[in-house]
Amino acid sequence: MYDPTDVIVLGNDIWFTEHGSGLFAKYDSESGSLERFHTSENKFHTSTLPLWLRAAGDGFWFNEHGGNRVGFFDAKNERLTEYLIPSVPDGGIVVYPLNIYADPENNRAWFSEWNADKIALVDGSAQAPFDMQLDSQGER
């Protein structure tokens, strides 16, 4: 249940979403290796459904169709930042960010909120007041 929906190329790496599994993946065209990356669990305990990829600098923006988030993945440093969408649609709990545009001049992304009848902007240059790193055993 991988359901790839989009693909981009950054250098020698081919990145693609695995919509059904809630993952995105990198295929290294030189070594032939494949590496998968998880999105965060959502509060609905369903797949986050990453959908479209939009290249931006050393990484890419993507929408989490079922996760109520828009994410930026810094491919150079392998760092994922996910932005929760605060909108709540009438009669529903999931916004369904459906399409996304990466601003080529700034670290920002525009996206549609299908279930809330809105468009929105995420400014990736705004820094969180903390940083979290995982050690080599995957613990915080």
Side-chain angles (χ1 to χ4, degrees):
M1 185 164 103
Y2 300 114
D3 303 327
T5 53
D6 203 7
V7 62
I8 61 171
V9 177
L10 300 175
N12 295 321
D13 298 325
I14 300 168
W15 292 88
F16 57 97
T17 55
E18 294 185 1
H19 189 69
S21 66
L23 305 171
F24 56 95
K26 173 180 75 171
Y27 174 75
D28 184 321
S29 63
E30 287 187 350
S31 69
S33 66
L34 181 69
E35 187 175 2
R36 289 186 166 93
F37 299 85
H38 290 269
T39 55
S40 298
E41 182 178 305
N42 65 29
K43 68 180 181 178
F44 316 111
H45 304 290
T46 62
S47 176
T48 57
L49 304 173
L51 193 57
W52 305 121
L53 300 170
R54 302 295 184 250
D58 288 331
F60 54 86
W61 287 94
F62 65 98
N63 54 330
E64 294 182 20
H65 183 208
N68 258 23
R69 292 186 294 257
V70 171
F72 179 78
F73 188 74
D74 176 344
K76 182 177 180 183
N77 297 303
E78 293 190 349
R79 181 176 292 158
L80 173 62
T81 305
E82 295 173 291
Y83 300 88
L84 183 63
I85 299 170
S87 298
V88 177
D90 292 337
I93 55 175
V94 181
V95 172
Y96 298 124
L98 201 52
N99 206 339
I100 191 162
Y101 167 79
D103 184 334
E105 302 297 320
N106 301 293
N107 189 18
R108 302 184 312 180
W110 287 93
F111 62 95
S112 61
E113 296 181 14
W114 179 75
N115 213 26
D117 291 330
K118 298 178 183 178
I119 61 170
L121 173 70
V122 173
D123 185 350
S125 65
Q127 295 297 310
F130 62 90
D131 191 25
M132 180 171 45
Q133 301 292 321
L134 298 177
D135 66 19
S136 61
Q137 285 77 39
E139 298 180 15
R140 297 174 196 207

